Structure formats: C-alpha cells, structure tokens
Amino acid sequence: MAKRTCCSDTSTAVSPPPISPESQTDRFNNDFLLDSFLHVSDFDSINTSFDTLIESRSSDSDKHDLIQRALHIGSILLEAGKRSDRKRSLFHNAVVWPLPPDLTIKVFALLDTQSVCYAAATCSFFQKCAADPSCFASIDLITSVPKVNNGVVSSLIRRAGNALQSIKLGVLPPSTSPLFCSSEPLVYSIRNSTDASGVSWNDKRSRQGKESSILTRSCLSYLSENGGAPGARLRRLHLFNIERMDNAALSASLSACPSLLDLEIVGLHVELRQTLESVSKHCPLIERLAFESSKTGRDDGLKHPTCYEFVHSCPNITTLALKGFKLHDYKARMLVKGLRKLKIVDFSTSYSFTGAFLKNLGANGGGKHLEVMILRDCMHLKEIEVEHFMGAVLAGEFECLRHLDISNREGLASDGDWFRRCYSASFIPIKQLLEERPNFCLVAEFPKGSYIDVEQPTPGDLNSDVSLASQFSSHASDGSFLMSASDSGSDSGNEDGQETSFLTYDESSDEIDFLST
C-alpha cells in the first residue's frame, strides 16, 4: 500500500498559481484609472461627460447597459469606501482611545448590560473588548415593559461563561418604592401593563410578535448546561414578574446555583413552601432572601417542617423579606429565632400573625442581632403586642435595633376587638425613647382623616425638648408619624452639644418639617 502523503510535505504541497504578466498589467491599469478618477475635482464635468457618453450610444439597449454598468461600479466603490472607513475607524479608535484593551474591558465590566451592548455596536475595537466574559459577569435585563426573550438571556449567559456573578431579569414597574419606606407591591402583570407612551402591552403584542418578548419557564435553562458550569459561580439572582415560571422551573434553576448568596423573587407563580424547600436543598450559602407573593394573602402552604429545614440548612441568612404571605405567629417566630445571624426582617403586608412572636424575641439565640424590622400594613398586627415590644426595647433588649416600621393603612388591631382599629402611636413613650435610644428610627404612618384634633404648637413650644416629645405622640394620630434622632449631647449652651432631632408628620394635605437644634 502506498504511503499517504503528509500534508506538511513541502515537496508535494500545492502552491498558488503564479500571477501572469497580463494580470499584473491589468491591475496596474485599474489602479491608475481609479486614482485618476478619484482625483477629479470638477464634479460637474463628470456629469457632463457621462451625459455625452450616453448620447454617443446609438441604441437604447447600449444606453441602458452603460447606465447599469455605471450604477454597478458606483455601488462597488461605495461598499469599498465604507469597508475602508471601518478599517480606518478601528485603527483610529485603537490609537486615539486613551485606554489599552485590558483597562477598557475593566471599564465595560462596570457598566450595565444595555450600555455594554450599545458600546459594542459603535466600532470593532469596542466590540472586541466587549466580547470579554467579564463584561457580562453582572447581567441586568430589568425592563419596565417586556422586551427580552429566552434567546437574549441564553446568549448573554453564554458570553459570560464561568465569569457569571449576577442575573437580574424580568419586568419591574418604573416607579418603585425605596427600601424600608413603603409596602407598595412590585407585583406586575404584563397583560395589564402600560408604559410611558400610554400603549398597553396587549396592543403591542400584535406588532412585536406574540412570543418575541416574553420570558418563559425555561429562560434560565442554560444555567444547567455543560454540567451546570454557567450557574456554578452565580452569587445573585433577582427575578421579577416572570409570569410563566412555576415551581418546577424555579427549582431547576436554583439547583444549578450552589453558590447563590442573594435571591429575590417578585410576582412569580411559585409557592413559599416549595421555594424554601428548594433554597434549603440547593443554596446552603444564601445570605439574603426576599420573596414577594404574587397572590397576597392566599399563600398559606408554609409548614412547620419546612421552616425547621430552612433555618438549619441556611444558617447564614442575614436578610429575610417575606411579603404578602399568610404567616402565623409561630412560623414567624421560628424563622426569626432560628436564623441566628438575622439582621433585617421584612414581613410587610403579611397576614395572620398578631405580633405575639415578638415576645421574648431577643432572648436565647436569634432575634438579638436584629437591626431593621418592618411590619408595615400587617392586617392583624395588634397594638398591645407592639406596645410590649417597645417596652422590651426601652428595657434594654434589642440593642442592635435601629429601625422599626409599624405603619398601617388600616390601623393597628385592638386587643379585645379586631374591628376596632388604632390610628395613633401615642402608646409609645417617645421622649423616653429619644433619650435612651437616640439613633432609633420609628416609622408609624397611618391614613389621613383618622386622627383626633390636637392643639397647634406655638413657636415657643418648638424650643422645648419636653414639649417636642409630647407633640410627637399627639401628632402621631394625625395620619403619619416618622421619628428619628441622631447622637445627643448635654445641653451646655454649645450648639454642637445640643440634641438634634428630625420629625415629619402630615396634617391635612400639608407636610410640616420640624428641625429642632
């Protein structure tokens, strides 16, 4: 059998055919003609010469062929000019741009996803820099109306590769409330959405295509590709109002994220019990969990074993936000007490619990490290339980607590009669709280129109610390109450040593700010 010729054998390698002298001559002539043509300065003469050349042809077919040939040559010159301009721009940007490629990549890595895509579209130099995986380590595809589909998500996850650290995905209303200030829901339905242009999503679907901008339950399926490599290093996952994602799809996504530290879920059609079970099983390192129900007050599936498993499997939780769920006192207590590193808890708009879980919360384990507690718009929260809790705060418990929100649009429930609501924070000894906990911030906003008449303060009263504290408790019944105090000092006549406090309350439709120094 004959030996197969090696491809690297130079003796048998096929070399390109030599260029004939005639081809070299034609190329030289073309270069000469093109150079002469491009150096013509009198453009009007070109028009005249072309018209004369057309008229010199005897038949219409010859004239037509000549015109078509001119158009073809013109298009070739146009494309050649554009191509050369792009090459020149690439070289120009690489030279003029003050940063080398490695620093440019670091700058791009600090930008949001949309800005990186815009920069990559400007020139080839930026496109090459933006192709680095670190530029897409933090994928942020949050939009006010549906604009993103599964293909976009998969493409960006593929670009990020092993560098993927964060994913924010879904639809979020444009006017969201700041953290720790409101219980305004972030749940959002694309079927009822209207953007700033006033055009509803239902009207847009016919133009955009029914499925072109909708995320489905498999939008994060690429995290599990290649043995789960894309999701192995993911630290943050925020999902907003992806209506088609269900329990099974979310669990499959979490199973590919063993290093997850921060999980936020808003408006997904998933249950609290199954979500906590998935987190307990797949995300033992998690430190922050924020979950807002898509069906406020109707999710009552959380069970005792699930709470037990969650607090033992995820001991590093420092922030827990469960909003809009039916959460009984014993479940809330198990979560707060069991998570011994818990610093921030938000049970806003939760149902069922009365606040009984607050009793002895700071003793024997979890609860004593709490810094922020938000119980805003909790329908069944009782006034008496809040009063007992504030008594514990004044007694020296919860030394780390610096922010408490007990605001309620429906008022606090009375102890004897649930239908009798309390719209006043007068039961809280404000002056004592200011003296003993100067850095404490208490937020107690109640609806307007549910207040008792109070005497208007005189200018002289504003200079009195005692009078100011009493006004706090009186005006708390006006509708809203916000109290915070900074570091205080002794009253020695020096302005720097005097106690500084800031208060805001609503009276009718006017907002009055008192600054007492």
Side-chain angles (χ1 to χ4, degrees), residues 17 22 33 79 104 168 174 209 214 225 229 239 252 254 259 264 266 299 303 318 341 352 396 408 418 423 440 463:
E22 293 80 3
L33 291 174
E79 292 300 325
T104 302
K168 296 181 180 181
I214 298 180
E225 297 291 331
L239 304 175
L254 294 179
S259 303
E264 184 165 352
V266 174
D299 189 340
K303 304 300 181 183
T318 59
K341 296 183 180 180
S352 298
N408 203 309
W418 185 87
Y423 297 96
F440 195 94
N463 296 325

Side-chain angles (χ1 to χ4, degrees), residues 306-343:
T306 304
C307 296
Y308 180 84
E309 181 183 2
F310 176 69
V311 298
H312 284 83
S313 300
C314 305
N316 298 320
I317 291 282
T318 59
T319 299
L320 180 65
L322 302 177
K323 302 175 65 174
F325 295 97
K326 277 191 174 181
L327 199 62
H328 298 281
D329 280 285
Y330 78 93
K331 298 176 186 177
R333 183 177 181 83
M334 179 177 292
L335 292 173
V336 178
K337 290 281 290 184
L339 299 171
R340 297 180 177 271
K341 296 183 180 180
L342 193 62
K343 295 181 179 180

Side-chain angles (χ1 to χ4, degrees), residues 178-443:
L179 190 61
F180 306 146
C181 293
S182 175
S183 58
E184 188 70 21
L186 301 180
V187 177
Y188 177 85
S189 173
I190 63 173
R191 295 179 178 85
N192 300 322
S193 65
T194 301
D195 64 4
S197 65
V199 181
S200 68
W201 169 239
N202 290 326
D203 295 335
K204 288 185 174 184
R205 291 186 68 178
S206 59
R207 297 196 301 269
Q208 294 179 344
K210 292 186 177 180
E211 305 295 334
S212 60
S213 300
I214 298 180
L215 293 169
T216 69
R217 64 189 307 275
S218 60
C219 60
L220 295 175
S221 60
Y222 195 79
L223 292 174
S224 303
E225 297 291 331
N226 301 323
R233 300 183 181 181
L234 189 67
R235 298 291 188 270
R236 181 186 295 111
L237 180 61
H238 292 183
L239 304 175
F240 297 93
N241 301 297
I242 304 176
E243 295 187 354
R244 299 190 177 186
M245 180 168 286
D246 54 18
N247 291 306
L250 178 62
S251 179
S253 300
L254 294 179
S255 66
C257 307
S259 303
L260 196 65
L261 302 178
D262 182 357
L263 176 62
E264 184 165 352
I265 302 171
V266 174
L268 272 64
H269 294 299
V270 295
E271 297 178 358
L272 177 60
R273 178 180 61 83
Q274 296 194 27
T275 299
L276 292 187
E277 289 176 356
S278 297
V279 171
S280 303
K281 182 178 181 181
H282 304 297
C283 309
L285 303 179
I286 193 167
E287 298 176 356
R288 176 181 180 268
L289 174 61
F291 192 178
E292 181 174 342
S293 175
S294 62
K295 42 186 180 181
T296 302
R298 289 178 289 172
D299 189 340
D300 192 22
L302 186 60
K303 304 300 181 183
H304 179 279
T306 304
C307 296
Y308 180 84
E309 181 183 2
F310 176 69
V311 298
H312 284 83
S313 300
C314 305
N316 298 320
I317 291 282
T318 59
T319 299
L320 180 65
L322 302 177
K323 302 175 65 174
F325 295 97
K326 277 191 174 181
L327 199 62
H328 298 281
D329 280 285
Y330 78 93
K331 298 176 186 177
R333 183 177 181 83
M334 179 177 292
L335 292 173
V336 178
K337 290 281 290 184
L339 299 171
R340 297 180 177 271
K341 296 183 180 180
L342 193 62
K343 295 181 179 180
I344 300 174
V345 60
D346 184 357
F347 291 155
S348 297
T349 65
S350 293
Y351 286 69
S352 298
F353 70 69
T354 63
F357 74 94
L358 298 173
K359 296 178 181 177
N360 300 321
L361 193 62
N364 300 325
K368 63 180 180 180
H369 298 298
L370 283 177
E371 298 178 4
V372 176
M373 178 178 287
I374 304 177
L375 305 176
R376 196 179 184 97
D377 291 328
C378 296
M379 291 293 298
H380 297 81
L381 184 63
K382 290 185 177 181
E383 173 193 3
I384 188 65
E385 300 296 350
V386 176
E387 184 178 0
H388 291 162
F389 180 75
M390 292 306 302
V393 172
L394 293 174
E397 298 183 32
F398 305 100
E399 296 179 354
C400 299
L401 191 65
R402 53 181 173 81
H403 184 106
L404 175 65
D405 189 344
I406 57 170
S407 304
N408 203 309
R409 289 172 292 186
E410 302 295 334
L412 299 176
S414 298
D415 187 29
D417 185 1
W418 185 87
F419 293 99
R420 182 174 175 270
R421 313 298 292 184
C422 171
Y423 297 96
S424 172
S426 58
F427 60 89
I428 300 177
I430 303 300
K431 185 176 184 298
Q432 182 182 357
L433 185 62
L434 283 171
E435 293 175 351
E436 299 185 9
R437 302 287 290 269
N439 293 322
F440 195 94
C441 179
L442 174 66
V443 183

